[in-house]
Amino acid sequence: RLNLILIVLVSFIVIFLSLKDNYEESFSYIHNINILWLLLACLFMALNIIFQSLSQYRFLKEVKENYSFISCVKLMVIAMFFNAITPFSSGGQPFEMYLLRKEGVKVSDSANALLQNFITYQFALIFIGTIAIILNNTLHIFPDGNILKNVVLIGYIINVLVMSLIIFFSRAKKINTKVFNKLFDFIFHFKFIKNREEKKLKAEKTLDDFYNSTAIMKDNFKNTIFSFIFNLCSLICLYLIPLFVLYSL
C-alpha cells in the first residue's frame, strides 16, 4: 500500500511540474481529446505488454513448468516500471531475476531465459529497423539531412553492432576465453582488487550461461521463432501508440 501511495504521489508531482507553466492550454487539449483514439492507444499499450509477456513466457516455461502466464504479465509490468526509473533502463532484468529467485527459479536459469528473450527482441528490433530504412529510402518520409532520420540511423547502427557482438561471442568461445583470461590477468595486477579468484569464477560462470543460452536457442528453434514473432508484434504495437495519441489530440 505504501509503494502504491508513493507511485501515485510521484506521478502527481510529475504531472503538476509538466503542466504548471501552460496548464490552461494543456487542459484545453485534455478537454477536447478524442476518447476513441485514446482508448485505442491504451488497447495497444496493453497488447504491447501481452506480446512481450508471451515472448518471455515461452522461455520461462522451460525453467519452471508451473509458471503461469498471469505471473509473467505481472513480472513484465514490474520490469517495465524499473526500466523506466533506472538509468539506461538497467533495473528491470535484475529485479526480474530477484523475483524469479523468490519463486524458486535459479538465478542462472532465469538469466538464461531473460537473455534468450533479449536476443530475439534484438532480432525483432533490427528487422523493423531494416524495413523502416528501406521504406524511408523508397518513400522519402524523412527528407535528407533531417535530424530525426539521422537519429533513427544511429540507433539502427547501434542495434546492429550489439547483435553482431552477441553473434560473434556466441560463435567464438575459444577466442573469447583467451581474451577473457588475458583481461583478468591484466586486472589482477592491481592489488586493490580483492577476492580475485571468486570474481573470476563468477565471470566464467556468466560466460558459460551465455553460451548455454545460445545453444538452447539453436536446439529449440520453435521457441525462438515464436518469441521473435511476439516481440515483433509487441514493437509494432509500441510504435503505433504515439500515432494514436497524436490523433486523439
Side-chain angles (χ1 to χ4, degrees), residues 107-196:
V107 173
S108 58
D109 288 340
S110 61
N112 278 338
L114 296 178
L115 179 59
Q116 290 171 62
N117 189 51
F118 171 76
I119 291 172
T120 56
Y121 173 82
Q122 285 296 123
F123 271 120
L125 200 60
I126 291 170
F127 182 80
I128 286 184
T130 303
I131 292 176
I133 289 173
I134 292 171
L135 287 176
N136 183 61
N137 288 332
T138 305
L139 303 176
H140 305 290
I141 300 169
F142 298 129
D144 292 336
N146 185 282
I147 188 169
L148 187 58
K149 178 181 178 181
N150 295 330
V151 169
V152 170
L153 185 60
I154 291 169
Y156 175 77
I157 292 170
I158 291 172
N159 286 323
V160 170
L161 287 174
V162 170
M163 199 69 248
S164 300
L165 286 172
I166 290 173
I167 294 171
F168 171 75
F169 285 130
S170 67
R171 293 180 174 273
K173 186 173 183 179
K174 290 182 180 179
I175 296 174
N176 295 330
T177 302
K178 289 180 181 179
V179 172
F180 167 80
N181 288 328
K182 288 189 177 294
L183 181 63
F184 261 86
D185 288 340
F186 170 75
I187 293 173
F188 285 171
H189 280 96
F190 299 100
K191 295 182 179 180
F192 62 85
I193 298 176
K194 299 179 180 179
N195 303 323
R196 301 178 183 183

Side-chain angles (χ1 to χ4, degrees), residues 75-93:
L75 189 71
M76 182 57 64
V77 172
I78 292 170
M80 292 172 70
F81 172 75
F82 276 92
N83 279 332
I85 64 172
T86 52
F88 308 108
S89 300
S90 57
Q93 287 190 336

